[in-house]
Amino acid sequence: AKIGVPTANIATREFSALLDSQDLLNGVYFGFAKIDSEEAGTTWYKAVMNLGVNPTFGDVSERLVEAHVLHSFANPFYGCHMTLMLLGFLRVEQKFESFPALIANIKNDVAVARALLASDQALRFAHD
């Protein structure tokens, strides 16, 4: 959470064939996440996800999924299975010229995702 937005970081090598078959661009997506933990239960939580290589930092050599769940949990969910449901695409991944520019864009991505996921159309997907 070095940028103030905690994420579940998931290496994509386990499901790279699925990503390739869907032609998913590196970028920011929104949708829902379900976490297999006692605290989370069976709820689908609003989430914003980045698929890519963190070009601003240049410290990632393979594609990662970084999922930020828009809910505060009392306990971390390290090691728990997470299911992601992508509903839409916000923007392509880009390299920002400064850390403040990156932070501003992430905050905007989160705000836009929250608004889109509050719609009746999106909420229909949040039920089993």
Side-chain angles (χ1 to χ4, degrees), residues 57-126:
F57 295 111
D59 61 350
V60 176
S61 59
E62 65 176 303
R63 288 171 102 189
L64 280 180
V65 171
E66 298 172 294
H68 173 60
V69 180
L70 305 177
H71 179 82
S72 294
F73 292 94
N75 300 299
F77 47 87
Y78 294 109
C80 294
H81 180 81
M82 177 183 280
T83 303
L84 297 173
M85 178 188 341
L86 305 183
L87 295 185
F89 183 74
L90 295 179
R91 64 174 175 84
V92 296
E93 185 177 53
Q94 61 193 95
K95 181 174 182 168
F96 295 99
E97 295 304 315
S98 69
F99 193 69
L102 170 67
I103 299 298
N105 273 271
I106 290 171
K107 287 184 180 200
N108 185 65
D109 294 338
V110 168
V112 171
R114 277 188 196 279
L116 291 169
L117 290 167
S119 73
D120 288 341
Q121 294 91 335
L123 291 173
R124 280 187 298 199
F125 291 97

Side-chain angles (χ1 to χ4, degrees), residues 15-26:
F15 51 95
S16 60
L18 174 64
L19 290 175
D20 292 344
S21 72
Q22 300 299 312
D23 290 326
L24 293 177
L25 297 172
N26 282 1

